């Protein structure tokens, strides 16, 4: 059974994951990092950018982006990444990658993902792979579920402003990453983490595919 590693609080979880990532960056060999958005990883990014690490060996590959809003929109994931990571670490723009329809080919051509960090949606989505997503899916445009639109409306002025579509890495794309870290915070997330990791593997709970990943660590805090 997959272990869910409990950390004392959000600060500790953020620090713990940032330290793991920092160690990989510090090795200095090329590192292709799958980078998440959402509320959960913000603390980890804060810790990471305060360590004075040299990011010269790193390429970042975002998991997903909304369709239908401009890159400069305050809630775009381009903007999120700039505000939380890219503005601080001096990455050359050609090392910053966002999903497009040939993303899987681009990732492979650059050596594949070494580590992908994930959050989880309350309905078990990872990146924007909503319930019903095929386990063999690759990067594509998807419709967001009502649940996700509702959950993410807290970041927008009103629910009507939440995009209804996104472009996301597929489940197959994520599974090919050599290492995966999944983070969750709060009771709502503990419930879905347990169902995803300890229940049946089913496309109705996209994160359940991670049960088959050979190098997965899962962190949770209240
Ligand atoms: C968003 C993102 C996911 C993220 C999830 C959870 O919709 N597309 O990559 O993991 O929802 O977000 P949060 O951490 O804010 O709960």
């Amino acid at each position: 059974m997959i272990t869910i590693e409990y950390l004392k609080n959000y600060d500790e979880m953020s620090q713990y994951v940032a330290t793991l990532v920092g160690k990989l960056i510090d090795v200095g060999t090329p590192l292709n990092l799958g980078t998440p958005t959402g509320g959960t990883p913000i603390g980890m990014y804060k810790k990471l950018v305060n360590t004075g690490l040299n990011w010269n060996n790193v390429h970042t590959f975002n998991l997903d982006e909304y369709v239908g809003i401009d890159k400069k929109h305050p809630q775009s994931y381009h903007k999120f990444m700039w505000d939380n990571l890219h503005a601080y670490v001096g990455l050359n723009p050609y090392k910053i990658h966002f999903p497009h329809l040939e993303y899987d080919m681009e990732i492979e051509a650059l050596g594949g993902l070494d580590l992908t960090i994930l959050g989880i949606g309350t309905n078990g989505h990872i990146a924007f792979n909503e319930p019903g997503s095929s386990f063999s899916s690759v990067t594509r445009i998807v419709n967001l579920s009502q649940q996700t639109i509702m959950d993410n409306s807290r970041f927008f002025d009103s629910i009507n402003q939440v995009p209804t579509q996104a472009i996301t890495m597929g489940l197959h794309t994520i599974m090919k990453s050599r290492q995966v870290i999944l983070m969750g915070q709060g009771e709502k997330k503990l419930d879905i983490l347990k169902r995803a990791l300890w229940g049946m593997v089913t496309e109705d709970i996209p994160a359940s595919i991670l049960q088959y990943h050979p190098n997965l660590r899962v962190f949770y805090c209240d």
Side-chain angles (χ1 to χ4, degrees), residues 10 35-42 63-66 77 80 117-123 125-130 144 148-149 151-152 154-155 166-168 182-185 188-189:
Y10 182 66
T35 42
T37 55
T40 310
I42 290 178
L63 305 179
D64 47 16
E65 175 59 289
Y66 289 116
Y77 288 169
F80 175 99
I117 306 166
L118 302 172
I120 186 167
T122 54
N123 60 3
H125 77 238
I126 47 176
F128 268 134
N129 293 283
E130 296 283 26
L144 299 180
T148 298
I149 291 174
D151 287 349
N152 289 4
R154 70 189 193 279
F155 297 118
I167 182 161
T168 180
L182 174 61
M183 288 194 284
Q185 182 202 10
K188 269 197 305 200
K189 298 298 177 73

